[in-house]
Amino acid sequence: MSLKKQFIKTKPVVKVTFSIDAKDADSAAVVGDFNNWNASEGALSKLKNGTFKATYDLVKDAIYEFKYLVDGNYVNDPEADSYKWNDFAGSENSVLIV
């Protein structure tokens, strides 16, 4: 899993690439504050090497909570900037600071 941030000097956005290695998975998505936790809006494309990946433009100077949804199971990103407890889910969410 990895997060890649590309800051755009001329725009108030950051291009964030989310990727997760899930060779045996059929589907993966990234869900979070930035897409109302909607898996269809956060669908990741599967590459030939088994990694799921997508890049999204996120408003910079913000903090987002997110998780990966892999075949219906929520997974945190070990490379997240931090983690935050979520009472609703009863678990921690990954945190992205841009």
Side-chain angles (χ1 to χ4, degrees):
M1 289 182 249
S2 71
L3 291 170
K4 180 181 172 191
K5 303 173 195 175
Q6 180 183 2
F7 292 86
I8 310 298
K9 290 182 181 179
T10 58
K11 296 181 181 178
V13 299
V14 177
K15 290 189 176 292
V16 179
T17 301
F18 296 90
S19 63
I20 182 168
D21 184 23
K23 291 178 177 65
D24 297 328
D26 293 320
S27 66
V30 61
V31 294
D33 295 339
F34 49 86
N35 65 8
N36 294 314
W37 298 88
N38 185 327
S40 63
E41 289 183 23
L44 302 176
S45 299
K46 189 170 188 177
L47 306 178
K48 290 181 182 180
N49 67 1
T51 300
F52 286 84
K53 187 176 185 178
T55 301
Y56 296 95
D57 289 348
L58 302 181
V59 176
K60 73 177 183 179
D61 299 324
I63 298 172
Y64 300 99
E65 291 184 38
F66 74 98
K67 283 190 179 228
Y68 294 104
L69 184 60
V70 180
D71 285 347
N73 298 307
Y74 289 99
V75 180
N76 275 325
D77 191 321
E79 296 181 20
D81 295 323
S82 66
Y83 302 93
K84 183 177 179 184
W85 181 258
N86 180 297
D87 286 331
F88 179 76
S91 65
E92 289 184 327
N93 289 335
S94 299
V95 174
L96 171 67
I97 301 170
V98 293

